[in-house]
Amino acid sequence: MTDGSGTPSDLAFLDVCFAEAKVGLAEGGIPIAAALVGNGEVLSRGHNRRVQDNDPLAHGEIDCIRRAGRRESYEGLTLYSSAPPCFLCSGAVVQMGIPRVVSVGYDSMPETKAFLESFGVEVVSLHHDGCLEILNAFIADHRDIWMEDIGQYSRDLDRW
């Protein structure tokens, strides 16, 4: 299910995020992950490392952008995320000039979607069962960790 602006390749790149989210979960972290894509190719991927690295800024999208390294331009790239980017990660998208974000679950964080769109970022919200299930299970089992930062902005604190 899409909001009407997703493509089959968008869903495939969310599968990449889902696989990366499972890596983060296996490390004991929050299962949120991202992939930076250009010309149909994954340029980098990353996952939330807040718990593993004891770093409050080590969100999945930030990890992914860092792993892409310095770039002259982010023109034509898409950032995929297994959950909607929070304000920290949305700010990084705007700062880097990433023109498009595809994510799961924007109905839980409509303010960050509006923030991105206010800077001209194309935002696509898609449904991905795996991304939703792994995150919802984590929230149910580790609500204390979820509420440290990301959860406080979510509309539905018990379900993503």
Side-chain angles (χ1 to χ4, degrees), residues 3-156:
D3 69 355
S5 56
T7 67
S9 62
D10 286 336
L11 291 171
F13 290 123
L14 285 177
D15 287 341
V16 171
C17 293
F18 178 52
E20 188 72 17
K22 290 192 282 188
V23 171
L25 183 63
E27 293 174 353
I30 299 169
I32 296 176
L36 189 62
V37 174
N39 295 320
E41 180 181 327
V42 176
L43 305 174
S44 66
R45 62 179 75 196
H47 57 269
N48 190 297
R49 297 172 189 273
R50 283 194 312 116
V51 175
Q52 302 92 307
D53 295 350
N54 194 32
D55 180 350
L57 300 179
H59 289 212
E61 297 88 347
I62 300 294
D63 185 51
C64 178
I65 293 168
R66 281 181 173 154
R67 291 175 181 277
R70 293 176 61 212
R71 302 186 63 84
E72 188 174 313
S73 171
Y74 289 83
E75 186 177 325
L77 302 186
T78 298
L79 182 71
Y80 291 85
S81 182
S82 63
C86 66
F87 284 107
L88 170 70
C89 298
S90 293
V93 166
V94 170
Q95 182 70 32
M96 298 300 109
I98 298 170
R100 185 170 185 259
V101 173
V102 176
S103 184
V104 177
Y106 265 111
D107 26 338
S108 292
M109 291 182 71
E111 294 86 358
T112 60
K113 180 180 187 224
F115 171 80
L116 287 166
E117 290 174 337
S118 76
F119 283 92
V121 177
E122 177 189 356
V123 178
V124 178
S125 183
L126 300 178
H127 180 88
H128 188 283
D129 287 333
C131 291
L132 290 168
E133 289 170 8
I134 194 172
L135 189 53
N136 284 329
F138 180 85
I139 293 168
D141 293 342
H142 304 284
R143 186 176 175 87
D144 56 332
I145 294 171
W146 180 247
M147 292 305 295
E148 285 176 10
D149 68 355
I150 303 166
Q152 65 184 306
Y153 296 105
S154 176
R155 288 281 172 108
D156 184 348

